[in-house]
Amino acid sequence: MLALLVLPLALAVSAPGLASPTSGSAVVPDRSSTGEQNGVGLMRIVVADKSGIDRLNELGVDLAEYVKPVDNGIEVHAILSPEESQALRDKGFDVQDAISDQSDYADNMAERSASIRAATAATASTDTLTVLRSEWFSSLNNQLFLNIEVKSSAGTDSTTVLTASWDSGPGTEIGSGGTATMSRFTDAGQYMYHRFSNPVAINAAPAKATITSNKGGSVTVDVAKWLGSPRKVAGDHPYVSDFVDHYMDPTEVTARFTGLAAEFPKLTELIDLPYKTNGYRRKAQAQFGTAAASIVYVTSTAYGSEGGNDVSMSLVNPGTANAPLTVSMSGKAVTVSLATNGSGAITSTAAQVVAAVNGNADAAKLLTASTYRGNAGTGVVAAAPVTNLTDNLKAPASVSREPFQMKALRIGKHRDGSKVGVFLYCQEHAREWVTPLVCVESAERLLRNYAHDPNTRKIVDDLDIFILPVVNPDGAHYSMYDYNMQRKNMTNYCSASLADPAARNAWGVDINRNFSVGSVFDGFTGASATNCTGETFAGPSELSEPEARNEVWLVDKFPNIKLSMNTHSYGGYFMWPPGAYKAAGREVLPRVDQGTEAYFWTSSDYILSRVQEYRGTAIWPGRTGPVTDVLYSAAGNSADEHWYNRGIIGWDFEVGADVYNPTTKRFTAVGFQPSFAEGHEEAMEFANGNIAILEVARAYATDKIQPQTTLKIVKQEPGATAFTFSISEPANVYYTLDGSRPTYNSPKLALAGMREGVQNIAVNSDTTVNWFSIDIAGNVESNYKPDGAGRNYNKQAVAVQ
């Protein structure tokens, strides 16, 4: 990974009079010392493909977890100041308009309108089109949308253009519903498939669609409905919900969970996680001077809350000629008397002042001095009055500055490890204020509906539920009170060259890049191992952070945890592993097998239907799937940690789906911190999703139904026959073609490709196929014992013409 040890966003940006001593450019604008944010906003950037996203990550750009295809590339969102935006433009990036800024988090701009790619002349060759997905769905305001994904055998040719036409219902003509050109989707330089940049708004539910290629290919397919009908809730008792009425900081959230544990002792226990965080605290600092070569900044040895805020320093002109440079102490006040020449002019340079302060044993007990970002410090300093060092933290006294005790709430009637465990966790990224509300609302619903709602009682009786509402409490406090766009925790691993006060909003570790699977330390893309101010800084090593270690401790301590949900924001995604790849050759972490992939997709229909049930929000099919397929590579994320190391079936929510405006016919992003009115709605609908995940988990825990499979011939031609298997539920199929008994060591039915369904198996001579299936819960078809000696597996002859 490219390590650019420069500014908080690793970009050369300009500020009047401050030249960077390491790069020859200027330094990062001060975002913190005055309390002003200097125009920092959530900005759109359009890159050609995901290699552009990788480059932004390498530069340490503060990217949102949001990716949207547009006709000329991929749209991502980044936190940038005006200077940083211009620096990226100077590097050739297409930085566009703002989604929100510091003055109004919910002020979303209209997204860049997509231009339709002009079709190129058809060539003599005919391509083959494979339809991956073809669905219609409704979302907010009951607006209908169409989503189609198609893979062309000629898709590696950038001139391949696909056009979709659809009817307006059964029995109507193709084209009566509309026609649109599809966009070519590439990732890490490789062609994936064609799709719409955004779902297309339609007036009627189509029954069929025809996709044609300028290379000659054509295919007509059925269009299915995406997401099921709203669930009918049985029972005479009302289901109570809506337990959040404002954005809450981690102290409030933890107090809420503590109160729930005290109120419902028979159904809960509060778990103190073993690793305390570093705490909402900082060393106190002060900076003297403006020009880089003459800047001196000092940092207290103690945290501000532990005495560092009581330290002061002054730079004094002695008012006499030929005075020496001296350092004196009075309590916690450090006085630097500057050296002068024969005419009484100050001659002390920044480097000399730093050496004098650090060389004074008494002063060194209170603070350390540094030149500015590695500058040689040859500039002469100016006298400065007494300046108090400050940690600049603005949270009220109710927010402790001590290391934070993270707590998880365990909910269940039987909390002895005998029930299937589910881990729900929120706010790994500090600025995602809606996410802890989702966890709070989920916990409140489970406990307050238990006494009178039969469905809730079944969930709590049959599962062991662990809810961690705030994974990143220090960063979340900082985001709430100091710098709202803070993503990381507050632990500063930067050396003195990047530890000056102006860099304070860029310190910290991205918790969701600090895990041990597919990490940047293993060569995976989407994080930085060396750029301490980069927004995806993975820390000095895997699992270096107590926040990440607490997650790992919990799932290791309670091995009955089999499913999990990690809630983030924003963009409206529903994802699962794999979540990382190596950019060279797009080497993805091992994909889940087809049975598990089918389980993810089948579960998503139910879970997302429950999300939609609240106010009609539909998570797009194009934003549903493995992380690497629908978002980007996120090296060292927690879902991969739990799946690959422990087999925990893990999902990721990105709450805050784009809102469609039927008047402008455009989608608008909501951002990290929408107005609470919108944030409340997001919390309610995704708490619905969490309850649905628990219902899915209960179905998994109580599943005793064996899968059923049949062999299906899909293609016969002289000398070859292709077949596959039809399966009654998500399950893996093991088979043999040589007449032997199928076992767990036999070939396993695989996926045909990304988002393509199961493979077809070809044979070129008459073959007897032996097989069995096993579902995600471990039920084996016909009670067959693969490791035994039974013969009750399936058997069918496949003939070849």
Side-chain angles (χ1 to χ4, degrees):
M1 300 292 288
L2 177 63
L4 299 180
L5 290 178
V6 284
L7 316 175
L9 295 184
L11 300 175
V13 299
S14 58
L18 298 184
S20 168
T22 58
S23 67
S25 302
V27 299
V28 65
D30 183 349
R31 296 185 185 176
S32 59
S33 64
T34 64
E36 300 294 332
Q37 302 303 328
N38 295 332
V40 172
L42 184 61
M43 307 294 293
R44 290 187 176 88
I45 305 175
V46 174
V47 294
D49 55 31
K50 286 194 177 178
S51 64
I53 300 176
D54 297 340
R55 173 62 175 159
L56 290 169
N57 274 317
E58 289 170 356
L59 290 171
V61 173
D62 186 357
L63 290 177
E65 291 181 338
Y66 179 95
V67 170
K68 179 172 68 178
V70 293
D71 282 349
N72 58 339
I74 300 175
E75 177 182 313
V76 295
H77 298 166
I79 313 305
L80 301 171
S81 69
E83 294 90 344
E84 291 161 340
S85 295
Q86 187 57 51
L88 278 178
R89 293 187 183 104
D90 293 343
K91 291 177 178 289
F93 287 96
D94 183 7
V95 181
Q96 301 186 352
D97 57 346
I99 296 164
S100 64
D101 57 28
Q102 300 295 331
S103 64
D104 183 4
Y105 305 144
D107 185 19
N108 299 305
M109 304 291 288
E111 69 177 5
R112 184 180 184 274
S113 62
S115 59
I116 298 176
R117 188 197 304 265
T120 57
T123 62
S125 60
T126 299
D127 55 343
T128 299
L129 303 183
T130 301
V131 179
L132 309 180
R133 305 196 66 81
S134 176
E135 303 125 324
W136 68 270
F137 61 93
S138 64
S139 194
L140 294 173
N141 306 314
N142 294 317
Q143 173 64 53
L144 303 183
F145 297 94
L146 178 65
N147 176 81
I148 297 177
E149 301 171 6
V150 181
K151 187 174 183 179
S152 166
S153 60
T156 54
D157 182 347
S158 62
T159 66
T160 300
V161 178
L162 303 189
T163 302
S165 300
W166 54 94
D167 63 23
S168 52
T172 61
E173 294 291 327
I174 293 291
S176 62
T179 298
T181 302
M182 304 181 73
S183 297
R184 182 172 171 272
F185 170 42
T186 62
D187 185 15
Q190 298 186 24
Y191 169 71
M192 297 295 153
Y193 49 88
H194 280 72
R195 62 184 178 183
F196 295 135
S197 296
N198 295 315
V200 175
I202 55 178
N203 296 319
K208 292 184 178 294
T210 297
I211 300 90
T212 58
S213 167
N214 66 329
K215 305 296 186 183
S218 179
V219 63
T220 298
V221 296
D222 293 333
V223 181
K225 186 177 186 296
W226 169 248
L227 304 183
S229 301
R231 182 183 62 116
K232 301 299 182 183
V233 180
D236 298 328
H237 299 283
Y239 184 84
V240 293
S241 61
D242 198 351
F243 297 99
V244 294
D245 59 7
H246 65 283
Y247 285 127
M248 292 188 285
D249 70 27
T251 297
E252 294 175 275
V253 171
T254 303
R256 176 76 72 92
F257 270 38
T258 301
L260 287 174
E263 186 176 354
F264 298 95
K266 294 183 179 180
L267 297 177
T268 67
E269 62 184 89
L270 205 58
I271 301 172
D272 282 347
L273 301 182
Y275 304 105
K276 290 188 176 182
T277 70
N278 187 60
Y280 173 73
R281 55 184 183 176
R282 284 269 170 83
K283 301 294 182 67
Q285 294 185 302
Q287 182 168 303
F288 302 87
T290 56
S294 59
I295 289 176
V296 172
Y297 77 90
V298 291
T299 304
S300 63
T301 56
Y303 286 104
S305 56
E306 297 176 348
N309 288 337
D310 300 326
V311 178
S312 67
M313 192 171 95
S314 59
L315 304 179
V316 177
N317 184 339
T320 60
N322 297 317
L325 174 62
T326 61
V327 177
S328 60
M329 302 287 300
S330 176
K332 291 189 175 182
V334 179
T335 300
V336 179
S337 182
L338 301 172
T340 58
N341 61 17
S343 61
I346 295 172
T347 60
S348 295
T349 65
Q352 290 169 341
V353 170
V354 166
V357 171
N358 292 339
N360 184 288
D362 292 329
K365 294 177 182 178
L366 297 177
L367 51 76
T368 59
S370 305
T371 57
Y372 190 76
R373 299 194 178 181
N375 194 284
T378 57
V380 174
V381 302
V386 174
T387 301
N388 293 322
L389 278 63
T390 175
D391 60 13
N392 275 306
L393 297 178
K394 300 177 179 63
S398 58
V399 174
S400 172
R401 272 57 173 174
E402 296 302 310
F404 196 89
Q405 175 62 66
M406 295 170 59
K407 297 176 182 289
L409 185 65
R410 188 180 188 183
I411 299 175
K413 183 177 180 180
H414 307 284
R415 303 183 304 279
D416 56 5
S418 63
K419 301 295 183 180
V420 167
V422 185
F423 179 31
L424 307 177
Y425 56 110
C426 298
Q427 207 171 18
E428 283 185 332
H429 290 148
R431 61 194 174 201
E432 297 167 8
W433 291 5
V434 176
T435 63
L437 304 185
V438 176
C439 273
V440 169
E441 177 70 18
S442 300
E444 291 273 7
R445 289 187 189 183
L446 290 171
L447 296 171
R448 301 201 183 280
N449 287 292
Y450 180 83
H452 58 258
D453 178 60
N455 186 59
T456 302
R457 191 175 305 115
K458 290 176 182 177
I459 292 172
V460 175
D461 286 354
D462 293 340
L463 294 174
D464 197 357
I465 303 160
F466 301 81
I467 305 180
L468 178 57
V470 182
V471 176
N472 183 2
D474 298 344
H477 279 128
Y478 194 74
S479 175
M480 185 74 70
Y481 297 108
D482 299 279
Y483 175 58
N484 69 296
M485 287 301 176
Q486 179 78 6
R487 170 186 174 98
K488 303 181 288 182
N489 69 7
M490 291 179 64
T491 305
N492 178 16
Y493 286 103
C494 291
S495 65
S497 63
L498 281 170
D500 56 273
R504 67 193 302 269
N505 288 339
W507 298 330
V509 175
D510 184 343
I511 302 303
N512 205 33
R513 300 297 186 272
N514 188 236
F515 292 90
S516 68
V517 174
S519 76
V520 67
F521 303 99
D522 294 326
F524 285 81
T525 299
S528 171
T530 55
N531 184 4
C532 67
T533 58
E535 287 303 318
T536 56
F537 177 52
S541 62
E542 295 172 349
L543 298 174
S544 62
E545 303 310 290
E547 298 91 340
R549 294 200 302 275
N550 278 333
E551 276 192 42
V552 170
W553 178 88
L554 188 70
V555 294
D556 284 344
K557 175 73 172 179
F558 302 101
N560 61 318
I561 294 176
K562 303 299 182 184
L563 301 97
S564 70
M565 166 53 72
N566 181 12
T567 301
H568 284 264
S569 75
Y570 60 98
Y573 292 82
F574 187 62
M575 302 177 291
W576 53 83
Y581 58 68
K582 295 180 180 179
R586 199 178 185 274
E587 180 187 339
V588 182
L589 281 169
R591 290 188 177 272
V592 302
D593 57 37
Q594 75 80 24
T596 305
E597 181 82 352
Y599 182 77
F600 278 131
W601 278 107
T602 301
S603 300
S604 70
D605 182 80
Y606 181 77
I607 293 165
L608 297 182
S609 293
R610 293 293 308 280
V611 172
Q612 188 182 44
E613 190 177 280
Y614 179 74
R615 61 167 178 170
T617 299
I619 303 305
W620 303 350
R623 291 186 177 179
T624 302
V627 174
T628 53
D629 295 356
V630 301
L631 191 59
Y632 47 59
S633 179
N637 69 82
S638 61
D640 284 346
E641 167 78 29
H642 303 326
W643 166 251
Y644 291 101
N645 280 345
R646 299 163 189 86
I648 295 173
I649 298 168
W651 287 281
D652 299 288
F653 272 147
E654 291 278 351
V655 310
D658 289 1
V659 176
Y660 183 75
N661 186 322
T663 302
T664 63
K665 296 184 177 181
R666 294 183 177 183
F667 289 96
T668 303
V670 296
F672 294 112
Q673 299 147 16
S675 65
F676 182 74
E678 167 62 23
H680 171 272
E681 297 298 275
E682 294 172 17
M684 294 301 106
E685 60 191 358
F686 281 91
N688 269 19
N690 266 353
I691 300 301
I693 286 165
L694 296 175
E695 291 168 338
V696 167
R698 181 179 178 273
Y700 163 88
T702 58
D703 181 13
K704 302 300 180 184
I705 300 173
Q706 300 165 8
Q708 301 295 318
T709 55
T710 57
L711 187 148
K712 180 175 68 174
I713 303 298
V714 294
K715 187 176 183 180
Q716 280 188 306
E717 56 187 27
T721 297
F723 68 91
T724 190
F725 298 95
S726 293
I727 314 170
S728 62
E729 62 171 299
N732 281 311
V733 178
Y734 294 84
Y735 65 92
T736 63
L737 303 177
D738 60 1
S740 62
R741 237 178 125 260
T743 69
Y744 291 126
N745 293 322
S746 300
K748 185 163 58 174
L749 182 67
L751 293 165
M754 185 180 74
R755 300 169 82 85
E756 291 188 38
V758 298
Q759 69 179 145
N760 293 331
I761 303 164
V763 294
N764 53 22
S765 61
D766 291 352
T767 303
T768 296
V769 183
N770 299 330
W771 79 92
F772 71 93
S773 62
I774 177 172
D775 67 16
I776 202 75
N779 298 304
V780 180
E781 186 173 7
S782 302
N783 284 324
Y784 174 62
K785 301 283 192 289
D787 297 329
R791 311 295 291 183
N792 59 326
Y793 48 81
N794 298 300
K795 178 185 296 186
Q796 184 171 325
V798 175
V800 175
Q801 298 175 351

